[in-house]
C-alpha cells in the first residue's frame, strides 16, 4: 500500500541518498531570535584633545574606513595654533630645559673625573701602606674620598636618567616639535578595523570631534531574547547553539566555561523578554555585528527510539511524511508523528521502525513520482 516505483536510472540522475533510521540522543531546544552586536569595550572613538589642524603621521596617510590598526598606533597628529607669545614662551622653556640638561651633563662628567682621581689616589696610598710608607689614617681618608666621589657619580647618573625620562615623556605626550609647531599624537587604544574616518589632511578640528572610530572585529556578542514565561525551561546554566540566517550551515556551540551564556537580571517592560548573551569569536570577521541569528537553547535531553535526518521529512498537505525504501526501485510513503528535533535530526514517534532506510536527498522528487508514477517508470528487476 502506498508504494512508489522509482527507477535506478532516475535515482542516479538526481543523486538520491537514503539514510537508516536508528536510536539517537536528541536535545529539545527553545529557539529564540537573536542579534549579533559589538561587545562592550570593542569600539572606540578617537577625538582630538585640543583644537587645531589635522596632520598625518610621518611617512603615512590618514587612516580610512576598512584600514586595520594596531593598539598604540599613531593615527595622526593635532597641531594647535600658536601665537607669537605662545611660541616665544615655548622657545624660552625649551632653552631653559636645554641649559639644565647641559648643567646635568657637565655635573655627570665632573663626578666621573673626581671618581677616577679618587680611585687612583686610593691605589697609590694602598701601595704605600703595603710598604709601610703611609699611615692607616691616610688610607682611610683615601677610601672615604673615593666613596664620596662614587656617591656623587651615582647621584649625577640618577639625575641624568630622570632627565632622559622627562625628555621621552615630553616627546611622547606633547608630540614632536618640528618647524616651530607643537603636535599632539592621536593614538588608537585598541587593535581593530577603522569603521569611520574620512578626515582630510590639514582639516580644522574642534575638541572632541569624532575623527576615527575603531572596532575590534575579533569577537562579537550574541544576544537572544527569551520570553519571560520560557525562562524556567532553560535553567540556571543554559547551553545551546547559534545559527545565522546569512551563513547557512554555520553552527556555534555556546554555554559552558569557555562561552558562558549570561542571563540578564531584568525583564524588558515592553517586549517582556530577557536578554541571554554570550561572546563568540567572529571567525575572521565572517560573523558581523548587526547580523540576524537564532539562539537554540537546550531545554530537555531524550534518548529517541527512532531518529532520521530532517531532510527526509516531506510535508504533504501540512502533514509530515517520509519515503521508505522497500527495495532498490520501490519506495513506500509513510505518515509520521514527529517528536523532538535537534539540528539535522528529528525523533520519529510513529511511522518508521528502527533500521528502515528513508530517502533524504531526492525525497521531494519521489513525492512527485508518487503523484505521477508513469513519468518515472514502472520499475524493473536487475
Amino acid at each position: 500500500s502506498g508504494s512508489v516505483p522509482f527507477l535506478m536510472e532516475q535515482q542516479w540522475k538526481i543523486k538520491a541518498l537514503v539514510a537508516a533510521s536508528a536510536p539517537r540522543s536528541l536535545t529539545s531546544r527553545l529557539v529564540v531570535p537573536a542579534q549579533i552586536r559589538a561587545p562592550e569595550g570593542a569600539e572606540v572613538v578617537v577625538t582630538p584633545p585640543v583644537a587645531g589642524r589635522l596632520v598625518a603621521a610621518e611617512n603615512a596617510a590618514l587612516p580610512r574606513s576598512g584600514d586595520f590598526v594596531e593598539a598604540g598606533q599613531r593615527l595622526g597628529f593635532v597641531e594647535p595654533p600658536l601665537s607669537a607669545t605662545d611660541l616665544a614662551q615655548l622657545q624660552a622653556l625649551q632653552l631653559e630645559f636645554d641649559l639644565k640638561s647641559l648643567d646635568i651633563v657637565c655635573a655627570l662628567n665632573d663626578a666621573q673625573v673626581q671618581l677616577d682621581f679618587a680611585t687612583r689616589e686610593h691605589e697609590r696610598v694602598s701601595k704605600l701602606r703595603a710598604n709601610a710608607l703611609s699611615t692607616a689614617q691616610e688610607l682611610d681618608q683615601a677610601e672615604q674620598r673615593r666613596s664620596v666621589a662614587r656617591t656623587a657619580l651615582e647621584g649625577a647618573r640618577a639625575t641624568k636618567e630622570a632627565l632622559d625620562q622627562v625628555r621621552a615623556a615630553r616627546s611622547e605626550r606633547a608630540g614632536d616639535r618640528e618647524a616651530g609647531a607643537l603636535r599632539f599624537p592621536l593614538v588608537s587604544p585598541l587593535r581593530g578595523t577603522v569603521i569611520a574616518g574620512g578626515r582630510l589632511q590639514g582639516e580644522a578640528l574642534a575638541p572632541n570631534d569624532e575623527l576615527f572610530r575603531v572596532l575590534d572585529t575579533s569577537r562579537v556578542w550574541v544576544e537572544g531574547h527569551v520570553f519571560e514565561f520560557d525562562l524556567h525551561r532553560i535553567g540556571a546554566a543554559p547551553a545551546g547553539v547559534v545559527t545565522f540566517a546569512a551563513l547557512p550551515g554555520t553552527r556555534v556551540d555556546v554555554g559552558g566555561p569557555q562561552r558562558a551564556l549570561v542571563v540578564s537580571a531584568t525583564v524588558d517592560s515592553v517586549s517582556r523578554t530577557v536578554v541571554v548573551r554570550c561572546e563568540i569569536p567572529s571567525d575572521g570577521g565572517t560573523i558581523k555585528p548587526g547580523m540576524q541569528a537564532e539562539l537554540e537553547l537546550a531545554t530537555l535531553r531524550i534518548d529517541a527510539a527512532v531518529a532520521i535526518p530532517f531532510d527526509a521529512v516531506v510535508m504533504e498537505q501540512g502533514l509530515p511524511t517520509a519515503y521508505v525504501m522497500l527495495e532498490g526501485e520501490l519506495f513506500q510513503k509513510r505518515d509520521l508523528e514527529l517528536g523532538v528535533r535537534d539540528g539535522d535530526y528529528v525523533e520519529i514517534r510513529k511511522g518508521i521502525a528502527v533500521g528502515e532506510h528513508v530517502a533524504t536527498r531526492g525525497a521531494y522528487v519521489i513525492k512527485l513520482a508518487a503523484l505521477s508514477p508513469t513519468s518515472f517508470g514502472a520499475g524493473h528487476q536487475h
Side-chain angles (χ1 to χ4, degrees):
S1 174
S3 61
V4 182
F6 200 78
L7 296 179
M8 280 291 183
E9 288 80 355
Q10 299 294 336
Q11 296 180 39
W12 294 334
K13 286 181 180 180
I14 66 171
K15 298 181 180 179
L17 290 178
V18 296
S21 59
R24 193 179 187 91
S25 294
L26 301 175
T27 301
S28 176
R29 300 181 186 273
L30 173 66
V31 181
V32 300
Q35 189 171 26
I36 309 303
R37 78 177 187 90
E40 294 175 357
E43 185 175 347
V44 67
V45 176
V46 180
T47 61
V50 296
R53 186 172 65 94
L54 180 61
V55 180
E58 185 178 359
N59 299 325
L62 293 172
R64 292 288 182 263
S65 296
D67 290 349
F68 186 83
V69 296
E70 295 286 350
Q73 178 179 332
R74 286 186 176 182
L75 309 180
F77 292 92
V78 177
E79 192 175 276
L82 295 178
S83 64
T85 303
D86 294 333
L87 185 56
Q89 290 178 347
L90 284 174
Q91 291 174 343
L93 289 173
Q94 183 64 41
L95 179 60
E96 182 180 354
F97 184 79
D98 293 340
L99 291 175
K100 186 64 176 178
S101 301
L102 182 59
D103 291 341
I104 293 174
V105 172
C106 292
L108 178 62
N109 293 335
D110 183 64
Q112 184 66 58
V113 171
Q114 293 294 334
L115 178 60
D116 293 342
F117 177 80
T119 300
R120 290 194 300 270
E121 180 65 14
H122 180 269
E123 292 175 353
R124 186 184 67 83
V125 174
S126 296
K127 292 179 181 179
L128 292 175
R129 180 59 182 162
N131 295 321
L133 298 177
S134 66
T135 64
Q137 183 180 2
E138 290 175 333
L139 181 60
D140 290 341
Q141 290 175 348
E143 175 63 32
Q144 184 180 8
R145 286 191 294 270
R146 186 177 68 168
S147 178
V148 170
R150 183 182 294 113
T151 302
L153 179 61
E154 291 173 355
R157 284 175 175 169
T159 304
K160 178 65 166 54
E161 290 176 359
L163 177 69
D164 292 339
Q165 292 176 359
V166 170
R167 182 181 287 109
R170 290 182 63 186
S171 176
E172 178 68 23
R173 297 177 184 176
D176 298 326
R177 189 177 160 201
E178 297 176 357
L182 182 66
R183 292 182 173 182
F184 292 84
L186 301 167
V187 179
S188 174
L190 52 81
R191 184 175 186 265
T193 302
V194 178
I195 60 174
R199 292 289 184 163
L200 301 177
Q201 172 86 356
E203 185 176 350
L205 305 175
N208 300 322
D209 275 356
E210 180 177 317
L211 300 183
F212 309 104
R213 188 180 292 270
V214 182
L215 176 66
D216 179 3
T217 57
S218 64
R219 54 199 174 93
V220 294
W221 273 2
V222 179
E223 289 189 346
H225 299 271
V226 180
F227 193 51
E228 62 178 317
F229 296 109
D230 289 326
L231 282 176
H232 69 280
R233 298 175 58 189
I234 63 176
V241 176
V242 183
T243 60
F244 309 88
L247 302 172
T250 300
R251 298 173 61 85
V252 180
D253 293 322
V254 293
Q258 299 299 323
R259 298 175 183 172
L261 282 164
V262 179
V263 181
S264 174
T266 59
V267 177
D268 186 272
S269 59
V270 177
S271 65
R272 311 308 307 171
T273 60
V274 176
V275 173
V276 179
R277 177 190 302 121
C278 65
E279 184 174 293
I280 63 173
S282 68
D283 192 19
T286 302
I287 304 173
K288 303 179 184 298
M291 277 185 170
Q292 297 296 323
E294 284 187 341
L295 182 58
E296 302 176 6
L297 298 169
T299 58
L300 176 67
R301 190 168 186 84
I302 65 167
D303 291 324
V306 181
I308 64 173
F310 190 74
D311 290 344
V313 178
V314 179
M315 302 302 295
E316 186 168 325
Q317 296 182 352
L319 300 176
T321 62
Y323 289 88
V324 176
M325 176 181 279
L326 301 179
E327 54 185 56
E329 295 183 333
L330 190 63
F331 291 83
Q332 185 181 46
K333 173 186 170 184
R334 302 279 182 87
D335 295 327
L336 306 178
E337 180 181 338
L338 304 182
V340 172
R341 180 183 174 182
D342 184 5
D344 295 332
Y345 286 85
V346 63
E347 176 190 11
I348 303 299
R349 294 176 178 172
K350 184 179 179 181
I352 296 176
V354 174
E356 290 189 305
H357 288 74
V358 294
T360 55
R361 185 197 296 166
Y364 185 77
V365 180
I366 297 175
K367 172 189 172 181
L368 297 179
L371 299 176
S372 180
T374 57
S375 301
F376 296 87
H380 61 273
Q381 297 295 323
H382 287 277

